[in-house]
Amino acid sequence: MRGPWALLLLALAITASFLASSGPVQWMDNGMFLADASIGRYFSETLGPLDHPLYQFFNTAVFELFGTQVLSLLNSILLLPLAASLYWLAVNLGAQRNLAMLGAAVAVLAHAVFWVSTKAEVYLFHALFVIAAYALYFERRGSLGAVSKLLLIGLFTGMAASIHQLTFIVLLPLYLRLLMEQRTRLLLTLPAFALGFATAYPAMFNDLDSGLSLFQIARHYLTGATPFESNPNWEGSMLRFDTMWHEKNSVALLCLSLLGPQLLGLLCYPKDSRLRLVWWALLLDFIFAASYNVNDRFTFFLPGACFAAILGVLCLRQWLGNSRLASSVLLASVFCSPAALLFMWMLYCAGLVPLPVHAEALPYRNDIHYFMVPYLRDRSAEDFARYYETSAPAGALIVSDWTPMGALRSAQAAGALQGRSFESCDNARDLSTYLKGAGAFLPRMSYCDSLTMRYKLEKLVVGYQLSSK
């Protein structure tokens, strides 16, 4: 494959992410990440399963330096180093330069990768360090010795682990290989890991002061389990193969990341030992993500989607050979995922194909658009916040569940909805002060049953206004 086409396609894929960004007002966790960065708190107060210490530190620093608009584009910006890491990995796995760039372009346009790139989310930043660790292991051209590599791999592992617990799943094959090759020298990764994990230490010290042991802190961070609660949390959601059929919509959403050469990357067991190591990481990530009983399991497959793209392009090249037709097919394979999903979106819009949507609809948001076709920009959270900017006067209270709360808080961090107060449905108690004043509003009844029993609901264009019974 010759010419600048692979580089051009990669550049276009990254540019498309900037154009499809969801902006500084986003739903649910994504909006919360944007809002939390505006608080100016660089370190987590506790090391829980939803705390991402290095990501929080990095997000806060970006907000302080550049503001919310740049922060909302951060994952699109991070596609540049992600593509470089994927290129580095592919070249070290034996791919020619143009083929390596093509693999990076396929990865960027994979559903999970592209979706996360348009939101404020942890997984893309996390994947950078995971992919870099694998690429570094396969590097044979540099002057780094075995000890230097182990130290850097340990550092990348610590940084990845201080972003997300998925690190210990995806890097397991690499560490098993290193254990067989390096044996006791693998212990050199421990001090480097400790350095990379440094942003988590303030939270760890706070937890130690509260009476938790190191084992309890580690278990809490990895699974959410705590001695203070009997709730199994995320421990009870892992490896739930028994729920996969019931949650088939979420599993199907994950499988969208396999449209294109990625499917070959998962199904073709490589003969080369280097490729097999990456394939095992891909397989473990796929099994974990598919069986993890959460609605957004597709985001957990982001590193796996990247590995699948590289392996799939290499497999496709091996099957097709080096003809001009083969090069054309390889170039066309970059568009498999967006073309298939956009075509399905067109059929859905035309009423020709029924697709499942969430039973608890959100104002302004079309779930099929939002989840299935990230290549089309979605600004529904911004439209939602703009409505309440005009309908809820200053001094009003807006009570909502977690998903709208992300939109409300990120909108306020971006300068809108000033003077309005927000409260979660679970924490809302006596609203009489607001009912007698500027008013209390409820965007949707879902997940807020206690309020609907305590107050009268007056239907508005979006949501309800609460009043005393």
Side-chain angles (χ1 to χ4, degrees):
M1 184 188 303
R2 298 178 181 177
W5 299 110
L7 178 59
L8 178 62
L9 288 176
L10 178 56
L12 288 174
I14 295 174
T15 302
S17 173
F18 282 89
L19 297 176
S21 169
S22 290
V25 182
Q26 300 183 21
W27 298 107
M28 205 172 174
D29 293 355
N30 315 126
M32 292 297 190
F33 285 134
L34 292 167
D36 288 345
S38 68
I39 296 174
R41 188 174 64 242
Y42 282 88
F43 298 101
S44 305
E45 295 178 356
T46 185
L47 197 58
L50 299 180
D51 292 290
H52 312 283
L54 182 57
Y55 180 75
Q56 179 175 327
F57 183 91
F58 187 52
N59 256 16
T60 303
V62 170
F63 180 85
E64 294 287 344
L65 291 171
F66 305 108
T68 188
Q69 191 64 47
V70 171
L71 181 61
S72 70
L73 293 169
L74 181 58
N75 275 344
S76 294
I77 297 169
L78 288 176
L79 283 178
L80 295 167
L82 180 74
S85 295
L86 287 167
Y87 173 84
W88 183 24
L89 174 63
V91 168
N92 288 341
L93 290 174
Q96 296 179 346
R97 292 182 177 180
N98 274 352
L99 196 62
M101 281 187 280
L102 198 69
V106 171
V108 169
L109 289 175
H111 174 266
V113 181
F114 199 91
W115 191 93
V116 170
S117 77
T118 64
K119 309 289 187 292
E121 191 54 272
V122 303
Y123 301 99
L124 205 149
F125 189 43
H126 168 260
L128 272 176
F129 300 104
V130 170
I131 294 167
Y134 275 97
L136 180 62
Y137 169 75
F138 292 118
E139 179 61 63
R140 297 291 183 268
R141 297 163 299 170
S143 58
L144 286 175
V147 172
S148 298
K149 277 190 178 182
L150 285 173
L151 291 173
L152 283 173
I153 288 173
L155 178 67
F156 290 155
T157 305
M159 297 176 78
S162 66
I163 301 170
H164 203 279
Q165 302 86 340
L166 185 61
T167 302
F168 302 104
I169 301 291
V170 185
L171 286 181
L172 179 60
L174 175 59
Y175 273 82
L176 290 176
R177 175 73 67 86
L178 286 172
L179 180 61
M180 290 187 292
E181 294 176 351
Q182 303 294 335
R183 299 189 183 278
T184 56
R185 281 209 296 183
L186 183 61
L187 294 174
L188 289 172
T189 60
L190 293 179
F193 176 94
L195 179 60
F197 203 64
T199 51
Y201 293 154
M204 286 181 61
F205 294 145
N206 288 339
D207 287 340
L208 286 170
D209 288 340
S210 69
L212 293 177
S213 66
L214 285 175
F215 173 77
Q216 289 170 331
I217 293 171
R219 186 183 175 196
H220 185 215
Y221 183 56
L222 293 175
T223 70
T226 170
F228 307 122
E229 298 178 10
S230 58
N231 189 341
N233 288 290
W234 285 270
E235 278 188 348
S237 299
M238 296 179 186
L239 302 178
R240 292 296 304 272
F241 299 100
D242 58 312
T243 64
M244 287 176 62
W245 178 251
H246 182 266
E247 300 296 332
K248 54 186 175 295
N249 292 340
S250 297
V251 176
L253 197 59
L254 181 151
C255 291
L256 296 182
S257 294
L258 294 173
L259 293 173
Q262 304 94 291
L263 184 60
L264 290 178
L266 177 63
L267 297 181
C268 297
Y269 184 69
K271 297 179 180 179
D272 188 298
S273 63
R274 296 173 300 174
L275 302 183
R276 278 203 303 272
L277 180 62
V278 178
W279 184 84
W280 278 111
L282 157 62
L283 182 65
L284 281 180
D285 191 16
F286 179 76
I287 292 173
F288 176 79
S291 62
Y292 191 29
N293 192 29
V294 294
N295 291 331
D296 60 345
R297 66 187 77 197
F298 74 96
T299 58
F300 289 79
F301 189 53
L302 192 149
C306 290
F307 292 144
I310 298 299
L311 295 177
V313 167
L314 291 174
C315 180
L316 195 58
R317 161 56 83 191
Q318 185 178 6
W319 283 10
L320 294 174
N322 296 310
S323 66
R324 181 174 296 180
L325 177 61
S327 296
S328 300
V329 171
L330 278 168
L331 290 172
S333 71
V334 174
F335 301 104
C336 283
S337 182
L341 294 178
L342 289 170
F343 179 67
M344 186 62 68
W345 166 249
M346 291 171 59
L347 293 179
Y348 170 78
C349 290
L352 300 176
V353 176
L355 293 173
V357 295
H358 201 287
E360 309 295 345
L362 280 164
Y364 295 101
R365 193 176 88 177
N366 180 299
D367 282 345
I368 302 301
H369 177 193
Y370 181 76
F371 284 111
M372 196 181 78
V373 280
Y375 316 102
L376 302 177
R377 187 173 72 171
D378 178 273
R379 291 291 178 95
S380 56
E382 186 176 318
D383 294 336
F384 168 76
R386 189 178 295 116
Y387 169 81
Y388 274 101
E389 176 80 31
T390 58
S391 62
L397 173 70
I398 304 174
V399 186
S400 75
D401 60 277
W402 182 259
T403 302
M405 184 66 76
L408 296 169
R409 285 197 58 209
S410 57
Q412 195 168 72
L417 290 170
Q418 298 303 303
R420 284 76 167 180
S421 299
F422 311 129
E423 195 76 63
S424 70
C425 295
D426 294 335
N427 295 331
R429 297 292 180 260
D430 185 8
L431 308 184
S432 58
T433 302
Y434 294 98
L435 297 181
K436 296 174 184 176
F441 298 83
L442 181 68
R444 62 174 181 171
M445 289 190 290
S446 310
Y447 313 106
C448 298
D449 294 338
S450 61
L451 287 176
T452 61
M453 292 185 293
R454 290 158 48 199
Y455 299 97
K456 292 180 181 178
L457 275 62
E458 178 187 344
K459 188 73 176 77
L460 303 176
V461 175
V462 173
Y464 307 86
Q465 184 167 356
L466 302 175
S467 60
S468 300
K469 281 191 173 181

